[in-house]
Amino acid sequence: MARLLEVKDLTVRFGETTAVRNVSLRVDQGEVLGIVGESGSGKSVTCRAFMRLLPPSAAVTGDVSFDGQSISAMSTQDLRRIRGRDIGMIFQNPASHLDPLLRIGAQIAEPIRRHLATGQAAANAQAVDLLRQVGITEPTQRAQAYPHEFSGGMKQRAMIATAIGCGPKLLIADEPTTALDVTVQARILDLLRHLNRNNGLSIVLISHDLGVIAQNCSRIIVMRQGEIVEQGSTREIIEAPKHPYTRLLLDSQPSRSKASSSLISSGSTRPLLTVKNLTVTFPKRRDLVSRFTGKDTEPFRALDRVSLTVEAGETVGIVGESGSGKSTLARAIVRLVTPAAGEIVFDGKEASTDGAFRRAVQMVFQNPYDSLNPRLKVKEAIAEPIRRHRLAEGAEIARRVDDLADKVELPRALLERYPSQLSGGQCQRAGLARALAVEPRFLIADEITSALDVTTQAQILKLLDRLRRERGLTMLYVSHDLSVVSAFCQRVYVFKAGRIVEEGPAAKVMREPADAYTRELVRSIPRLDAIED
């Protein structure tokens, strides 16, 4: 098989920090190569170096050759001809790489016009066809939309359309499915497999999820701290890993990482939380389009007569795709959203906004960077609810903050930092410490591990399980990932379009899903045993 990309002794330094050290690898024509590792392992820096997309502050040594030409020695003009035409790249965060002022169709058409000398009308028509190929419904209308009008999955598919528009020989996909629903993830990965098999497209797939890599790649490179620690065929890596770090990644997969699922009995005869016929409707609103058309958007029913119970000491999972109503339910329970109808009863009393209820029920949010005040140091953010609820004063507050940091396994030295100075996992631990500061009885965790590395995700789940057992916490765990929920929860409710379509013991729902939608969710879960031969 012909060699398409070859990297020899690649080293990347940012000042005194070495981000990538002596990396050598190859990609053959028609091959799908997986690069796996935690955040900070050097995966993305390595692949950006392939296209010389690193900032001027990066000191790069080594050689990168593509299709027999040295990219390292290539002029800027020649490099521009290759970027987008022969090498396409899907970035991890599409929102930061799509121009907010340009319509989606125009952004997809631009490289087609630039590289293929295609006329405007033909390029626009091809952009619509590409949107259709990547699974965007009503592509003609969607091509006229702006990025903010697309969901995360739609933005990612639009970026894929842009990357494949010129028919490249190599596609670099940098965490293309991170934080996406498992069903959207499955559709994107199916598209990449189709392009590989039908168009002969070579792909470098970067991920921290070995399940995704195993299902799509023929070879795997494992990176840690800027170095390659192991590489080989997918079957060799999955079935007989040699390096301890590779074994850690495998053991951290939700399917292999099982938390305690025993119910902590409270002796109560009634549920701790009862939700009955809960309906949440978001009213009509006026947006930019309605100002010109004179028509308001229609009211949106986010939850439609939802009923569920949570027993004291139980951990219950809520699963479903984005837009299914999971987070709306969580926010309604803590009274951040006002229901249109229905009841929320906690410990025999109607949920309210008084201090006693706020202390008893706490929520940990999906994005800790958004939920923590960026102007407060971590220690101040954790201390704030203690002070507000008058649980302690003076030196006792500082002592409690230190104790909480220890409980969530957050090094005390990090308490002096601001949220922006923490990693995702560290910031999530700070958010958890803040929620635990008022000693709640009921904890709602909303997608708190969706964007974390599998090793960090496993650590957070282990930590939650320990806190559940030590403190007797009752938990509602919101996620789009059934494999995580089945590893952590006793029971599960499956949401679709604001309604519950299935409920039952988590293990049984995972093993024998009754509803067609639940079966689709289960089928979409990346599996380590689905090895690409």
Side-chain angles (χ1 to χ4, degrees):
M1 192 177 291
R3 190 74 44 88
L4 183 63
L5 179 77
E6 187 164 18
V7 180
K8 294 181 179 178
D9 299 323
L10 179 69
T11 296
V12 180
R13 293 185 178 88
F14 296 93
E16 299 298 319
T17 302
T18 301
V20 175
R21 183 181 291 104
N22 298 326
V23 165
S24 297
L25 58 85
R26 75 176 198 279
V27 180
D28 295 330
Q29 289 184 1
E31 181 182 32
V32 182
L33 173 69
I35 301 181
V36 68
E38 294 175 290
S39 296
S41 61
K43 309 185 302 295
S44 295
V45 172
T46 297
C47 288
R48 284 173 179 264
F50 295 167
M51 298 174 68
R52 282 171 49 187
L53 288 175
L54 295 173
S57 58
V60 182
T61 59
D63 186 64
V64 179
S65 296
F66 174 76
D67 205 15
Q69 297 177 284
S70 174
I71 289 181
S72 304
M74 197 172 287
S75 69
T76 302
Q77 186 175 0
D78 289 339
L79 187 61
R80 285 174 180 167
R81 293 194 187 101
I82 288 179
R83 288 177 181 159
R85 187 189 67 184
D86 295 324
I87 305 177
M89 186 160 185
I90 306 168
F91 296 93
Q92 180 173 352
N93 185 358
S96 62
H97 289 87
L98 291 172
D99 190 327
L101 301 180
L102 284 181
R103 299 180 191 273
I104 292 293
Q107 297 191 53
I108 298 172
E110 183 180 9
I112 297 172
R113 290 192 301 106
R114 181 185 296 272
H115 291 295
L116 304 182
T118 304
Q120 183 70 63
N124 290 343
Q126 191 170 341
V128 171
D129 186 59
L130 284 163
L131 285 173
R132 183 179 295 108
Q133 287 182 43
V134 298
I136 298 292
T137 57
E138 300 180 337
T140 303
Q141 290 80 8
R142 294 294 189 180
Q144 298 302 311
Y146 290 94
H148 74 271
E149 298 176 290
F150 271 32
S151 68
M154 291 168 67
K155 288 176 187 175
Q156 196 62 280
R157 280 180 274 180
M159 181 162 283
I160 293 174
T162 306
I164 66 175
C166 296
K169 299 176 183 178
L170 175 67
L171 181 65
I172 301 170
D174 186 4
E175 299 273 13
T177 60
T178 294
L180 296 182
D181 300 326
V182 287
T183 49
V184 177
Q185 172 179 265
R187 289 194 289 269
I188 288 176
L189 293 175
D190 282 343
L191 172 64
L192 294 182
R193 282 194 295 268
H194 172 81
L195 292 170
N196 169 250
R197 292 166 179 168
N198 290 42
N199 299 8
L201 177 66
S202 300
I203 300 174
V204 177
L205 180 59
I206 305 170
S207 180
H208 61 251
D209 190 338
L210 262 173
V212 169
I213 294 293
Q215 200 166 294
N216 295 277
C217 303
S218 55
R219 281 194 307 118
I220 296 176
I221 288 174
V222 183
M223 293 190 68
R224 186 188 188 197
Q225 296 177 351
E227 296 181 308
I228 294 176
V229 296
E230 187 167 358
Q231 58 182 307
S233 72
T234 300
R235 192 169 296 280
E236 290 171 345
I237 297 295
I238 300 300
E239 296 182 354
K242 296 181 176 62
H243 196 277
Y245 177 67
T246 310
R247 291 195 289 271
L248 174 64
L249 288 178
L250 286 164
D251 291 340
S252 298
Q253 294 294 314
S255 58
R256 296 191 180 188
S257 178
K258 297 291 183 181
S260 169
S261 60
S262 59
L263 174 66
I264 302 172
S265 176
S266 66
S268 175
T269 58
R270 69 184 180 201
L272 182 61
L273 176 74
T274 300
V275 175
K276 188 175 181 181
N277 294 326
L278 189 69
T279 298
V280 174
T281 302
F282 293 111
K284 292 183 178 182
R285 60 180 174 85
R286 294 190 67 84
D287 56 16
L288 187 62
V289 174
S290 67
R291 291 179 185 176
F292 290 98
T293 62
K295 296 180 180 179
D296 294 344
T297 58
E298 289 300 313
F300 174 67
R301 181 166 287 191
L303 290 178
D304 189 5
R305 292 168 292 177
V306 166
S307 297
L308 57 83
T309 60
V310 181
E311 303 291 334
E314 189 178 27
T315 302
V316 172
I318 304 292
V319 298
E321 294 178 289
S322 295
S324 62
K326 308 184 305 296
S327 293
T328 300
L329 170 68
R331 289 173 175 269
I333 292 172
V334 296
R335 312 304 289 178
L336 291 177
V337 170
T338 302
E343 296 178 322
I344 302 172
V345 177
F346 180 78
D347 199 18
K349 299 178 182 178
E350 185 176 356
S352 65
T353 57
D354 64 25
F357 178 78
R358 292 289 192 205
R359 280 190 58 187
V361 180
Q362 282 286 305
M363 183 167 169
V364 186
F365 296 88
Q366 178 175 357
N367 189 341
Y369 294 108
D370 289 345
S371 58
L372 293 174
N373 190 330
R375 296 184 177 182
L376 294 182
K377 291 183 177 180
V378 172
K379 67 177 183 181
E380 295 167 341
I382 298 173
E384 185 181 34
I386 300 174
R387 189 176 292 109
R388 181 174 294 272
H389 287 274
R390 299 177 181 177
L391 301 179
E393 294 181 356
E396 176 63 14
I397 294 179
R399 190 196 65 77
R400 287 199 181 197
V401 169
D402 286 344
D403 185 54
L404 285 162
D406 293 342
K407 280 186 166 54
V408 300
E409 299 167 12
L410 181 71
R412 291 187 181 184
L414 299 182
L415 294 173
E416 295 294 333
R417 297 186 182 182
Y418 292 93
S420 61
Q421 297 173 305
L422 303 184
S423 69
Q426 291 168 345
C427 204
Q428 199 58 275
R429 291 173 192 271
L432 180 58
R434 176 181 165 87
L436 295 174
V438 293
E439 300 179 353
R441 298 168 57 196
F442 192 98
L443 188 68
I444 301 174
D446 185 11
E447 295 275 16
I448 64 171
T449 61
S450 62
L452 299 180
D453 299 327
V454 286
T455 49
T456 307
Q457 174 180 271
Q459 292 165 5
I460 294 292
L461 291 177
K462 185 178 179 181
L463 170 62
L464 284 175
D465 186 57
R466 177 174 64 77
L467 293 170
R468 183 182 73 90
R469 287 183 280 107
E470 290 178 356
R471 293 192 167 210
L473 278 174
T474 303
M475 291 192 192
L476 193 67
Y477 188 87
V478 180
S479 178
H480 62 251
D481 192 338
L482 254 177
S483 61
V484 172
V485 168
S486 67
F488 187 66
C489 304
Q490 290 95 40
R491 286 193 302 120
V492 63
Y493 290 89
V494 182
F495 276 58
K496 181 185 180 183
R499 294 185 175 184
I500 295 172
V501 297
E502 186 167 354
E503 61 180 283
K508 183 179 180 181
V509 170
M510 181 78 171
R511 187 177 59 252
E512 303 170 5
D515 186 82
Y517 175 68
T518 311
R519 290 196 292 272
E520 182 185 3
L521 288 179
V522 173
R523 280 196 303 268
S524 300
I525 298 171
R527 305 191 325 272
L528 287 173
D529 57 359
I531 296 176
E532 177 73 13
D533 291 315

